[in-house]
C-alpha cells in the first residue's frame, strides 16, 4: 500500500495544526458556527443528535495493522469502544468531543491517516473494489490510480467549494464491486481495440433525492491523461452546477439538464485548451506510486493443508467458506470477507477488541493488509487457503464468523434516527429485526444472494435505491413508516429500484419483506436470484405479495 | 382570532409553529452533547428539570440562547409536557426527542442519563 | 478594507471599493474601456468573448464564501487569458480561504467590516496564507509536489526549497 514520504507527512501535520487553530478560534468566538461548519465538515466533523461524529478517511478502503490498532485505541480512548464502517469505505466515530478532535487527528497522523475531505462540498474519499489486487477478473490494480486521484484532489484550490459533494469511484474488473455507476464520476478500467488499458468515464450517477445511473461521456481515456480530464469535468461542474437549490446541486442534475452529450462537449472543449502537461503526472511519478502497490510476495506451489478436510469435519467452517471466501488470482490463496453483520449488532459496527484481533490476523496471515467494503464489511485480501480454518477459528469467538456475505442478513443500513439529525426513522433496529427473522442459516442459504439496503430518509445514505429490496424511512405524522423499493442494483447491471405500494408501519414491514421473499421462493427458476425473478416477472405480482396476510 | 403562532425550526430539517409548552434544547459546543436550558440560565444534560416556556417567552428564551454561540450550537424550541415534577418530550417529534434525551435505542451501554 | 499580496506578504492598501467599479456589462459598453472591471460569478469566462488587454484590475465576487465559482474564473483569467494584472476577491472573503484564493491567482482581498478585527488582524490572514507550503497539484501559484519529489523537472531552486522543508 501507499506509504507517506516526508512531504505527505508534512501536509497532514500542517492540516492538523490548521484545524487545531480553527477549533480554538471557534471556541473563543472569533468565528461563528455558520463560518465554522463548512470548515469542520471538510475535516469530517458532523454534529449528530447526541454528539459530534468524526469520519476518518480510509483511502480506497485499504488499511494496515498499525492503522487498525490506532483506530482501536481511538475508539477506546475517545469514544465508546466502537467504530462504524461506512458505505464509502471510511470509518466513523459517533461520540468524540470537538475539543479532543485535534488530538485524535495527531494520533491518526502517526499512522498516516487523516479526516481530510471526508465531508463538505469537495472531492471526497475515492473508493474502489475491495478485492483490488486480489481478484482474478481484474485488468490491473486500480488503487494506484485512486492514490493519484487522492493526492490531486487533496486541498485542490479550485475545487474545494463546489456546488455540492463530489464522489469518485474506480474499478478494474468487469464485475463492478465499487458501484461506479452511482458515483458523480465512475472510472471503469477497460481495454481498447489496441489492447491498451484506459478508463471508461461515467458521469452523473448518484443516489439521494433524485437517483440517477451515470452516463458514459468517454469510452476510452488514456491513463496518462486521467488528471487533466478530471480537472476539465470539475471545472465545467464548478462553473455551471446549480447553486440555487442544494437538492439540485449535484453533477447528476447538471448532466441531465444539459444532456450527456452537451455536457461531454463542454468537457472536451475545456480539455482541448488545457495545458495538460502541467496537470498530468509524468511517467516516473506514475511509476513511483505504482511501485507501492506491487503484488505481495506470494508463494508458489502452496499446499492447501487442512482446507478440504476441515470443511468435512467443521460444518460451520464449510458454510463460511461457501459464502465468505472468494477465489484469488494466485493459486493457493483466497480472499475472505469478514462479516460485520452478526444478528443484533448495528450493521458495520466494530469494537476495539475486534479491530485488534483483525490487525493481528492481518499481520500474521495477510501481508499486513485489510480492506473495508462499501457493503460495510471487512476483507482480508490475500490469505493462504491452508490458514483459512485457523483464521475462522480465531474470528468466530469474537462474533466475526458470520457466514452471511451477500445473503439476506448482510444488510446495509444508514445510522438513521438513532444518531442522525436528518432522519425520519430508525434504520438499525429494523435491520436487526429482519436479521432476527431470517436467523436460520439454512434458510438464508436457500434464499441466496439478496441485497437489502435501508435509509432513514431520502438522503439515501443506506443506498436503498440500489437495493434488491430497498427500504426508505418516512415520517407519517410523527410515526415511523417504511416505503419499499424493488429491483435496484449497484453492480454492473446498475438500476434504480421501483417503489411498490404504500408505506408500511413498523409492525408490518418485516412481515412484508418475508412475504416478498416467500413469493420469490415459490416463483424462482433454477439459479435465479431474487432480483432476477423480479426482473423477469415485473413489479405487479410482487406488489400483491407484499400485502398477503 | 389571534394571529397564527410563528413558524419555528423544530430540529433537523423539520419546521413547526410556536404552540404549546416548549423547552430550549441545543448541543454543547465543546463536546456536542444534547443539553437543555434551565431556569437559572445554565445548560444541563437532563431534560427532566428543563425550564418550560410558552408563547413570546419561548421566543425570547430562544433568542437569548441563540446569542450564546460559544456555549451551544443550534438551539431550537422542542415540544414538551410537564409530568408531575419532570419535563418529558411531546408532539410530533416525540421519537426524535426521546432518542436525543435518552440516547440511541440500539444498545443500552450507549445510552445517556435518562432511560427510555 | 483591502489587503494586497506582494512578495508573499500582505499589506493594507487604500483603493476604490469593489462596488464602485463598473460591472462587466457597463465596462463592455465603455468607450474607451476603463482599466478595472467587476465580473459577477455567474459569467462563464470560458464561453465569453473577452479581451482583458488594457485591464489592470479584475474584481471577482464571493457572494458567500461557500460559492466557489470565482476560483475557476480566476484560474481561467490567469491560465487561459494570460491576465497579469491584479485579481481582487470581494464579498465574503475570510482568512480560512485566502490560501486557496492565492493559489488560484488572486492577488488582493477586499474584506467586509469587522472581518480583519476578528481574524487576528493582518497577521491572522498571513498565518492562514502559510497554513501549507506543499501542494499536491499545480495552481497558478505553488509548484506541484510531484515536481519537488526530485523525480521530474524540478529546478535546483525548487529542490532546495523542498530540502529546507525536510530539515
Ligand atoms: C449521521 C450523519 C449523516 C448525515 C447528517 C448524512 C447526510 C447526508 C446527506 C444530506 C446526504 C444527501 C446528499 C445529497 O444527496 O447530495 C447523504 C448522502 C449519502 N450519505 Fe450520508 N449522512 C450521514 C451519515 C452517513 C453514513 C453513516 C453513511 C455510510 C454508511 C453515509 C453515506 C452516504 C452516502 C453513500 C450517500 C449517498 C448519496 C449519493 O452519493 O448520492 N452517510 N448523507
Ligand atoms: S439516509 Fe437520512 S437518516 Fe440515514 S444517515 Fe442519511 S441523512 Fe441520516
Amino acid at each position: 500500500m501507499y506509504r507517506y514520504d516526508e512531504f505527505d507527512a508534512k501536509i497532514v501535520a500542517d492540516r492538523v495544526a490548521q484545524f487545531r487553530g480553527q477549533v480554538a478560534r471557534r471556541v473563543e468566538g472569533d468565528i461563528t458556527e455558520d463560518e465554522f461548519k463548512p470548515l469542520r465538515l471538510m475535516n469530517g466533523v458532523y454534529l449528530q443528535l447526541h454528539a459530534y461524529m468524526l469520519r476518518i478517511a480510509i483511502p480506497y478502503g485499504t488499511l494496515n495493522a498499525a492503522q487498525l490498532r490506532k483506530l482501536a485505541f481511538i475508539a477506546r480512548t475517545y469514544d465508546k469502544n466502537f467504530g462504524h464502517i461506512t458505505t464509502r469505505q471510511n470509518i466513523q466515530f459517533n461520540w468524540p468531543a470537538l475539543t479532543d478532535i485535534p488530538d485524535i487527528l495527531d494520533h491518526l497522523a502517526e499512522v498516516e491517516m487523516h479526516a481530510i475531505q471526508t465531508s463538505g462540498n469537495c472531492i471526497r474519499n475515492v473508493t474502489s473494489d475491495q478485492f483490488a489486487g486480489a481478484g482474478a477478473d481484474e485488468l490491473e490494480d486500480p488503487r494506484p490510480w485512486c492514490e493519484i486521484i487522492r493526492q490531486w484532489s487533496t486541498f485542490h484550490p479550485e475545487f474545494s467549494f463546489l456546488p455540492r459533494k463530489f464522489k469518485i469511484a474506480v474499478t478494474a474488473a468487469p464485475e463492478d464491486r465499487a458501484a461506479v455507476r452511482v458515483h458523480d464520476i465512475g472510472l471503469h478500467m477497460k481495454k481498447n481495440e489496441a489492447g491498451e488499458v484506459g478508463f471508461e468515464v461515467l458521469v452523473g450517477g448518484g443516489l439521494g433525492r433524485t437517483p440517477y445511473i451515470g452516463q458514459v461521456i468517454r469510452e476510452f481515456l488514456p491513463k496518462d491523461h486521467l488528471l487533466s480530464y478530471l480537472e476539465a469535468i470539475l471545472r465545467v461542474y464548478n462553473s455551471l452546477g446549480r447553486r440555487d437549490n442544494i437538492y439540485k446541486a449535484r453533477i447528476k442534475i447538471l448532466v441531465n439538464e444539459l444532456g450527456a452529450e452537451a455536457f461531454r462537449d463542454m468537457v472536451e472543449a475545456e480539455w482541448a485548451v488545457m495545458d495538460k502537461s502541467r496537470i498530468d503526472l509524468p511517467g516516473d511519478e506514475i511509476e513511483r506510486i505504482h511501485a507501492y502497490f506491487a503484488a505481495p510476495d506470494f508463494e508458489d506451489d502452496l499446499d492447501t493443508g487442512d482446507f478440504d478436510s476441515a470443511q468435512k469435519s467443521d460444518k460451520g467452517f464449510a458454510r463460511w467458506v461457501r459464502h465468505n471466501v472468494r477465489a484469488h488470482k494466485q493459486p493457493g490463496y483466497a480472499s475472505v470477507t469478514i462479516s460485520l453483520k452478526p444478528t443484533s449488532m448495528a450493521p458495520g459496527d466494530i469494537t476495539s477488541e475486534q479491530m485488534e484481533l483483525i490487525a493481528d490476523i492481518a499481520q500474521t496471515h495477510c501481508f499486513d493488509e485489510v480492506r473495508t467494503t462499501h457493503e460495510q464489511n471487512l476483507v482480508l485480501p490475500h490469505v493462504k487457503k491452508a490458514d483459512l480454518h485457523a483464521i475462522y477459528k480465531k474470528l468466530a469467538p469474537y462474533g466475526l464468523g458470520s457466514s452471511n456475505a451477500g445473503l439476506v442478513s448482510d444488510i446495509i443500513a444508514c445510522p438513521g434516527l438513532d444518531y442522525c439529525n436528518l432522519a425520519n426513522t430508525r434504520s438499525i433496529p429494523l435491520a436487526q429485526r429482519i436479521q432476527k427473522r431470517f436467523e436460520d442459516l439454512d434458510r438464508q442459504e436457500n434464499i441466496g444472494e439478496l441485497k437489502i439496503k435501508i435509509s432513514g430518509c431520502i438522503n439515501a445514505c443506506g443506498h436503498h435505491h440500489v437495493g434488491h429490496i430497498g427500504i426508505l424511512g418516512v415520517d407519517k405524522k410523527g410515526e415511523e413508516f417504511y416505503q419499499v423499493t424493488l429491483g435496484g442494483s449497484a453492480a454492473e447491471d446498475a438500476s434504480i429500484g421501483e417503489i411498490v405500494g404504500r408505506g408500511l408501519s413498523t409492525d408490518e414491514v418485516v412481515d412484508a419483506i418475508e412475504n416478498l421473499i416467500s413469493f420469490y421462493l415459490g416463483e424462482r427458476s433454477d439459479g435465479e436470484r431474487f432480483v432476477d425473478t423480479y426482473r423477469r416477472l415485473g413489479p405487479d405480482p410482487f406488489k400483491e405479495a407484499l400485502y398477503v396476510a | 382570532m389571534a394571529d397564527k403562532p410563528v413558524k419555528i425550526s423544530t430540529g433537523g430539517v423539520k419546521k413547526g409553529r410556536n404552540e404549546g409548552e416548549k423547552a430550549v434544547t441545543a448541543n454543547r459546543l465543546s463536546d456536542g452533547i444534547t443539553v437543555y436550558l434551565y431556569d437559572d440560565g445554565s445548560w444541563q444534560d437532563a431534560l427532566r428539570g428543563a425550564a418550560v416556556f410558552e408563547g413570546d417567552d419561548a421566543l425570547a428564551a430562544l433568542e437569548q440562547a441563540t446569542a450564546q454561540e460559544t456555549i451551544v450550537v443550534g438551539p431550537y424550541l422542542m415540544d414538551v409536557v410537564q409530568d408531575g415534577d419532570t419535563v418529558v418530550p411531546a408532539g410530533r417529534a416525540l421519537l426524535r426527542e426521546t432518542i436525543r434525551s435518552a440516547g440511541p435505542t440500539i444498545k443500552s451501554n450507549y445510552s445517556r442519563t435518562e432511560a427510555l | 478594507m483591502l489587503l494586497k499580496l506582494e512578495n508573499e506578504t500582505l499589506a493594507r492598501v487604500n483603493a476604490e471599493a469593489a462596488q464602485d467599479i463598473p460591472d462587466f456589462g457597463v465596462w463592455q459598453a465603455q468607450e474607451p474601456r476603463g482599466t478595472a472591471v467587476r465580473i459577477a460569478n455567474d459569467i462563464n469566462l470560458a464561453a465569453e468573448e473577452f479581451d482583458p488587454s488594457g485591464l489592470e484590475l479584475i474584481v471577482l465576487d464571493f457572494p458567500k464564501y461557500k460559492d466557489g465559482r470565482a476560483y475557476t474564473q480566476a484560474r481561467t483569467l490567469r491560465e487561459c487569458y494570460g491576465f497579469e494584472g491584479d485579481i481582487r476577491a470581494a464579498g465574503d472573503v475570510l482568512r480560512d480561504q485566502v490560501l486557496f484564493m492565492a493559489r488560484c491567482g488572486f492577488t488582493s482581498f477586499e474584506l467586509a467590516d469587522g472581518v480583519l478585527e476578528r481574524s487576528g488582524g493582518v497577521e491572522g490572514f498571513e498565518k492562514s496564507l502559510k497554513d501549507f507550503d506543499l501542494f499536491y497539484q499545480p495552481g497558478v501559484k505553488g509548484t506541484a509536489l510531484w515536481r519537488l519529489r526530485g523525480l521530474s523537472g524540478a529546478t535546483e531552486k525548487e529542490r532546495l526549497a523542498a530540502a529546507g522543508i525536510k530539515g
Side-chain angles (χ1 to χ4, degrees):
Chain A
M1 65 190 277
Y2 187 71
R3 300 310 305 256
Y4 286 7
D5 63 12
E6 63 273 37
F7 298 127
D8 299 296
K10 171 84 163 56
I11 289 174
V12 170
D14 285 346
R15 173 57 174 148
V16 179
Q18 180 190 43
F19 190 66
R20 192 180 285 282
Q22 288 168 343
V23 170
R25 282 158 59 215
R26 172 70 184 92
V27 170
E28 280 153 25
D30 291 340
I31 31 181
T32 63
E33 182 61 20
D34 270 358
E35 288 166 355
F36 181 60
K37 187 174 170 188
L39 300 179
R40 68 166 156 79
L41 286 176
M42 287 195 25
N43 214 24
V45 182
Y46 285 73
L47 185 55
Q48 302 196 102
L49 291 177
H50 318 280
Y52 288 98
M53 179 266 269
L54 174 64
R55 183 181 291 156
I56 294 162
I58 302 178
Y60 34 92
T62 298
L63 278 171
N64 64 24
Q67 293 174 328
L68 207 45
R69 288 201 188 96
K70 185 64 84 175
L71 294 170
F73 162 81
I74 290 168
R76 193 173 282 130
T77 314
Y78 297 100
D79 206 277
K80 295 186 192 284
N81 211 44
F82 73 105
H84 177 77
I85 305 295
T86 77
T87 49
R88 299 206 72 257
Q89 298 183 295
N90 292 318
I91 186 165
Q92 295 181 175
F93 291 111
N94 283 305
W95 305 91
L98 178 65
T99 43
D100 283 338
I101 289 176
D103 292 343
I104 297 175
L105 296 175
D106 271 334
H107 286 294
L108 289 171
E110 285 171 21
V111 291
E112 304 178 6
M113 294 185 85
H114 59 72
I116 296 165
Q117 290 172 208
T118 51
S119 180
N121 295 336
C122 48
I123 302 168
R124 304 284 192 88
N125 183 32
V126 185
T127 53
S128 189
D129 180 353
Q130 67 269 27
F131 297 116
D137 55 347
E138 79 184 7
L139 289 175
E140 61 176 69
D141 190 336
R143 291 174 304 156
W145 296 103
C146 296
E147 176 60 25
I148 286 168
I149 296 170
R150 182 191 78 81
Q151 297 196 11
W152 162 79
S153 63
T154 297
F155 306 129
H156 198 295
E158 188 179 343
F159 306 134
S160 288
F161 296 94
L162 296 168
R164 202 70 182 86
K165 60 183 173 180
F166 204 90
K167 303 176 179 180
I168 303 177
V170 191
T171 194
E175 182 193 332
D176 175 10
R177 293 174 289 263
V180 300
R181 283 172 166 65
V182 290
H183 279 76
D184 296 281
I185 295 180
L187 298 168
H188 205 153
M189 300 193 82
K190 297 205 164 153
K191 272 197 180 135
N192 67 3
E193 279 165 11
E196 299 152 334
V197 177
F199 299 98
E200 177 187 58
V201 182
L202 294 108
V203 174
L207 301 175
R209 197 165 292 248
T210 30
Y212 280 109
I213 302 294
Q215 305 190 58
V216 176
I217 62 162
R218 198 168 229 279
E219 307 272 347
F220 186 84
L221 176 70
K223 288 193 283 192
D224 294 356
H225 287 312
L226 176 63
L227 294 185
S228 58
Y229 202 75
L230 292 179
E231 190 127 339
I233 295 172
L234 267 297
R235 190 165 282 179
V236 171
Y237 172 55
N238 192 41
S239 302
L240 300 180
R242 287 182 61 173
R243 300 197 187 240
D244 56 330
N245 178 341
I246 70 158
Y247 300 119
K248 301 204 164 150
R250 296 283 294 268
I251 197 173
K252 61 193 174 186
I253 304 290
L254 179 66
V255 170
N256 279 280
E257 283 180 357
L258 291 172
E261 274 191 21
F263 180 81
R264 185 202 52 217
D265 291 347
M266 287 181 180
V267 171
E268 295 279 336
E270 184 69 46
W271 194 51
V273 298
M274 193 176 267
D275 180 358
K276 300 183 189 50
S277 66
R278 281 193 74 219
I279 297 162
D280 288 323
L281 297 185
D284 46 9
E285 174 68 1
I286 292 175
E287 269 168 41
R288 185 187 76 88
I289 290 177
H290 273 76
Y292 288 105
F293 297 89
D297 292 326
F298 293 125
E299 293 170 43
D300 292 320
D301 306 317
L302 278 179
D303 182 18
T304 55
D306 70 347
F307 179 62
D308 294 317
S309 60
Q311 288 180 68
K312 296 204 179 76
S313 60
D314 181 344
K315 292 285 167 244
F317 175 60
R319 193 190 293 273
W320 185 73
V321 169
R322 280 201 297 282
H323 298 293
N324 293 40
V325 173
R326 197 172 171 281
H328 196 282
K329 64 179 180 191
Q330 179 74 13
Y333 288 82
S335 302
V336 168
T337 299
I338 301 174
S339 166
L340 299 180
K341 316 289 177 66
T343 307
S344 308
M345 281 287 288
D349 274 10
I350 179 167
T351 65
S352 297
E353 291 70 29
Q354 289 175 329
M355 290 185 224
E356 283 161 350
L357 173 80
I358 294 168
D360 291 344
I361 293 174
Q363 224 163 8
T364 324
H365 298 288
C366 195
F367 301 98
D368 197 21
E369 224 182 297
V370 181
R371 308 278 174 81
T372 52
T373 83
H374 87 268
E375 294 180 325
Q376 302 182 284
N377 293 315
L378 296 181
V379 160
L380 294 168
H382 326 285
V383 295
K384 289 179 188 163
K385 281 186 180 163
D387 294 345
L388 281 170
H389 194 218
I391 292 172
Y392 173 73
K393 284 194 291 190
K394 285 183 192 171
L395 290 171
Y398 281 77
L400 294 169
S402 304
S403 305
N404 60 354
L407 300 182
V408 53
S409 59
D410 187 3
I411 297 174
I412 292 183
C414 81
L417 192 54
D418 284 297
Y419 295 101
C420 172
N421 219 344
L422 305 173
N424 288 322
T425 63
R426 286 172 289 173
S427 303
I428 298 164
L430 175 57
Q432 292 171 339
R433 283 167 55 221
I434 296 172
Q435 288 174 327
K436 193 92 195 140
R437 177 70 61 93
F438 293 96
E439 205 167 14
D440 184 283
L441 290 170
D442 290 328
R443 189 173 174 207
Q444 289 196 33
E445 196 159 11
N446 178 36
I447 296 166
E449 183 186 303
L450 177 53
K451 308 217 173 207
I452 298 185
K453 308 191 181 199
I454 309 174
S455 305
C457 82
I458 193 63
N459 288 320
C461 303
H463 294 188
H464 66 277
H465 297 297
V466 290
H468 296 170
I469 297 180
I471 304 177
L472 164 65
V474 290
D475 175 15
K476 266 200 193 168
K477 302 205 174 81
E479 299 274 326
E480 293 176 291
F481 270 75
Y482 296 91
Q483 177 80 63
V484 173
T485 60
L486 295 176
S489 165
E492 63 285 354
D493 59 350
S495 58
I496 304 294
E498 291 171 72
I499 295 174
V500 289
R502 61 174 169 84
L504 299 159
S505 70
T506 310
D507 289 338
E508 295 168 314
V509 59
V510 180
D511 291 335
I513 301 299
E514 192 169 20
N515 290 342
L516 288 170
I517 292 173
S518 303
F519 177 74
Y520 151 69
L521 290 175
E523 295 293 324
R524 74 171 161 192
S525 50
D526 274 356
E528 262 185 349
R529 302 170 303 161
F530 178 91
V531 68
D532 300 325
T533 306
Y534 176 81
R535 285 177 182 163
R536 178 167 56 81
L537 297 179
D540 292 339
F542 281 87
K543 250 180 225 175
E544 273 170 44
L546 196 60
Y547 302 110
V548 177
Chain B
M1 182 79 201
D3 287 344
K4 265 197 172 172
V6 294
K7 271 199 183 150
I8 52 172
S9 141
T10 59
V13 290
K14 303 276 190 303
K15 297 263 184 292
R17 286 188 185 278
N18 184 22
E19 279 171 310
E21 293 183 316
K22 304 285 178 189
V24 186
T25 182
N27 292 81
R28 193 154 54 211
L29 174 66
S30 61
D31 58 8
I33 298 300
T34 312
V35 287
Y36 303 92
L37 184 65
Y38 274 47
D39 278 326
D40 63 1
S42 66
W43 293 92
Q44 310 275 345
D45 355 351
L47 173 60
R48 76 180 92 83
V52 175
F53 305 93
E54 270 188 86
D56 289 344
D57 291 347
L59 294 178
L62 178 62
E63 198 178 307
Q64 280 184 12
T66 308
Q68 299 185 33
E69 271 250 320
T70 57
I71 303 172
V72 291
V73 182
Y76 64 91
L77 296 174
M78 63 178 277
D79 289 321
V80 292
V81 290
Q82 301 189 68
D83 181 9
D85 288 347
T86 78
V87 178
V88 294
R92 224 186 124 138
L94 177 63
L95 179 61
R96 173 190 155 90
E97 291 303 341
T98 307
I99 292 173
R100 276 183 85 244
S101 68
T105 61
I106 43 181
K107 210 174 163 193
S108 57
N109 61 336
Y110 305 163
S111 74
R112 289 160 37 92
T113 43
E114 293 176 58
L116 252 190
Chain C
M1 174 56 253
L2 190 69
L3 294 179
K4 190 128 178 37
L5 176 62
E6 252 161 358
N7 305 322
E8 309 297 311
T9 52
L10 285 169
R12 289 179 76 142
V13 292
N14 290 319
E16 202 178 0
Q19 69 204 40
D20 301 327
I21 291 169
D23 72 18
F24 195 60
V26 170
W27 173 79
Q28 273 187 319
Q30 279 175 348
E31 197 55 60
R33 286 179 178 173
T35 58
V37 65
R38 181 161 48 92
I39 300 181
N41 78 349
D42 56 0
I43 294 178
N44 182 10
L45 289 172
E48 285 294 325
E49 292 288 322
F50 176 56
D51 174 13
S53 56
L55 277 169
E56 290 165 14
L57 168 66
I58 297 177
V59 180
L60 300 177
D61 187 33
F62 291 87
K64 287 203 180 92
Y65 85 80
K66 288 184 276 185
D67 182 342
R69 282 176 276 195
Y71 292 106
T72 288
Q73 289 178 314
R75 255 191 111 170
T76 305
L77 286 171
R78 295 287 188 218
E79 291 177 359
C80 303
Y81 290 97
F83 178 66
E84 289 180 351
D86 184 17
I87 300 183
R88 185 196 297 180
D92 194 11
V93 178
L94 301 171
R95 72 175 256 194
D96 294 289
Q97 283 78 48
V98 293
L99 178 55
F100 287 136
M101 290 176 183
R103 293 206 62 221
C104 286
F106 286 93
T107 40
S108 60
F109 309 94
E110 184 169 327
L111 310 183
D113 288 346
V115 169
L116 193 66
E117 291 67 30
R118 61 191 180 85
S119 304
V122 178
E123 302 82 71
F125 267 81
E126 264 183 351
K127 187 166 185 302
S128 289
L129 199 56
K130 294 183 178 133
D131 274 343
F132 296 94
D133 46 21
L134 291 169
F135 312 106
Y136 280 117
Q137 60 298 95
V140 172
K141 196 167 137 336
T143 308
L145 185 48
W146 51 263
R147 304 191 65 213
L148 299 182
R149 282 186 158 129
L151 291 160
S152 289
T155 64
E156 198 49 35
K157 188 165 161 261
E158 286 163 344
R159 287 228 185 84
L160 284 176
I165 288 149
K166 277 184 219 173

